[in-house]
Structures are given as C-alpha cells and as structure tokens.
Amino acid sequence: MTKQERVDFVINTLNQLYPSIPIPLDHKDPYTLLIAVLLSAQCTDVRVNQITPLLFAKADNPFDMIKLSIEEIREIIRPCGLSPMKSKGIYGLSHILIDQHDGQVPQTYEALEALPAVGHKTAAVVMSQAFGFPAFPVDTHIHRLMYRWNLTNGKNVVQTEKDAKRLFPEQIWNDLHLQMIWYGREYSPARGWDLEKDIITRTIGRASVLKAHPQYLK
C-alpha cells in the first residue's frame, strides 16, 4: 500500500467501526471539559468520570472553585493521581479565568496554554471538543497507533501531531482523533495487544512494525 492508501484505509475502517463517536470525558461546558482533561493526565477516563461529579457537585465553575481550598480540591481528586500539581493547577487557572477572562474559558491556544497545568494536548482537546476548532490532540493511544501504522517515525508527540495533520484532511481531525482513541483502547492497546484483532495494524503496518520493533509483541 502507498501511504495515501494506508491513510484511506484508516479513515474508512474507523468510520465503519465508529459511525457515531462518544466523547470520552463527561462534561457540560468548556470549563468542566478543561478540568476533566487536566485530571486525565496519567489517569484513565473512567476514573476521571467517577471523580468529576464529586468535584463539580461542589464547584462546576471558576467562581465556586476558588471558594474551595487547594487542600479541599486535592482531597477530592486524589484518586486521579498527581493531585498536588493538579489541585494547584485547577485553583490557579480558575483565578486566572476570573481575573483575565471574565470567568470564561479562552478560545485560543496561547491563552489556554498560559493557564497553570494546561499543556498543548489539553488545549487542543478543549479547542476541538468545546469550541469546534480543527485540532488533532495526540495522546498515548494516537502516538502508538500512528507509529504502528507507519504514519510517523514515533520520535515524539510533536512530530506525530505534525504528521497526523499533514496526512489527514482537516475537516475530519476532530472526529478522527476520537475514533483513534477508541480504536487504540479496544483493538490496539499497549498491553495485551492481539494483532489478529487489530485489523488496521495487521493490514497496513504489521510487517514493518514487527521487523523494526519486535518488542511490540511483548
């Protein structure tokens, strides 16, 4: 297959598997999405979706969030991991949203990435899922799949994002990155990987992946 044929196969297969695409993180507005994505760092979406209702019952907007102490926030979000950093980030960004953005989540990468504990991936998720801007957030699943499918060199997530944006049409980025996340979880996980189940890698990436990196079978 040519690279374009591989790209087309990925798009067509994912559309067949995921004609409707659920949003992984429960939220009701840009602020609750921002907090949920922040909490998802090194934590499963399932766990985040268990914790956010507890947090949002007390504070689902920046004005109520700053009424809590960092320690109170930390205690609620502790099961998500990295709670010292995340609680300070949530408290700090809530203050900044109030002081600099009238309590609203900004709609630019620059403003989002200036918030405490908000990196490029978090900003990209908010830009795409909350505001509908074309974005291709690269998480561990997408980084792994792009490499297994021979669509990037696997050097780092920055390169993977550049390659994804170069290869896939901009108008499908927002749906495609979610489809890839679900596919990575269900068909091509990091652990317990079954190549016979992983139809995309088996079809377009298996030979070269295994030749170059047989450790992927471990």
Side-chain angles (χ1 to χ4, degrees):
M1 283 188 178
T2 65
K3 181 167 285 188
Q4 186 58 53
E5 288 173 335
R6 297 202 301 274
V7 167
D8 292 340
F9 183 80
V10 167
I11 294 171
N12 293 333
T13 303
L14 292 178
N15 281 335
Q16 291 174 17
L17 291 172
Y18 306 103
S20 59
I21 312 164
I23 301 297
L25 293 170
D26 298 336
H27 65 282
K28 66 177 184 178
D29 57 25
Y31 179 76
T32 53
L33 175 62
L34 174 62
I35 300 304
V37 179
L38 187 155
L39 290 174
S40 70
Q42 298 187 35
C43 181
T44 66
D45 291 348
V46 172
R47 177 62 59 85
V48 173
N49 288 337
Q50 293 171 342
I51 298 303
T52 48
L54 305 177
L55 179 62
F56 296 153
K58 292 182 177 291
D60 62 358
N61 61 82
F63 298 96
D64 287 334
M65 193 66 74
I66 65 171
K67 294 177 184 177
L68 301 177
S69 67
I70 293 175
E71 290 71 24
E72 288 174 309
I73 298 172
R74 178 180 178 181
E75 188 59 33
I76 296 171
I77 69 171
R78 188 183 301 275
C80 291
L82 303 177
S83 58
M85 180 272 291
K86 291 177 180 178
S87 58
K88 291 178 182 177
I90 291 170
Y91 186 82
L93 71 81
S94 297
H95 262 292
I96 292 174
L97 292 181
I98 294 169
D99 295 340
Q100 300 181 16
H101 303 285
D102 297 320
Q104 301 299 310
V105 176
Q107 299 186 30
T108 68
Y109 279 101
E110 182 180 16
L112 284 168
E113 292 180 31
L115 298 172
V118 175
H120 179 71
K121 180 222 164 187
T122 296
V125 172
V126 173
M127 291 292 286
S128 63
Q129 295 180 18
F131 302 125
F133 288 94
F136 212 108
V138 173
D139 69 351
T140 56
H141 298 290
I142 293 174
H143 185 54
R144 179 175 68 253
L145 294 181
M146 286 286 291
Y147 183 72
R148 286 181 176 178
W149 298 345
N150 299 309
L151 298 177
T152 191
N153 61 19
K155 184 177 180 180
N156 53 57
V157 295
V158 174
Q159 185 61 50
T160 298
E161 181 178 347
K162 289 180 180 178
D163 290 334
K165 287 182 172 180
R166 175 175 54 83
L167 292 171
F168 295 108
E170 182 176 307
Q171 63 268 25
I172 68 170
W173 288 354
N174 289 355
D175 285 343
L176 185 66
H177 92 267
L178 291 173
Q179 291 173 319
M180 290 177 68
I181 289 171
W182 288 113
Y183 185 89
R185 292 175 178 176
E186 297 180 8
Y187 294 94
S188 191
R191 298 180 181 178
W193 184 31
D194 182 353
L195 278 171
E196 296 309 309
K197 184 179 179 181
D198 184 355
I199 182 174
I200 297 180
T201 305
R202 189 175 75 243
T203 302
I204 70 172
R206 179 181 181 180
S208 57
V209 166
L210 296 185
K211 181 178 179 181
H213 290 274
Q215 73 271 20
Y216 269 83
L217 280 178
K218 294 181 181 178

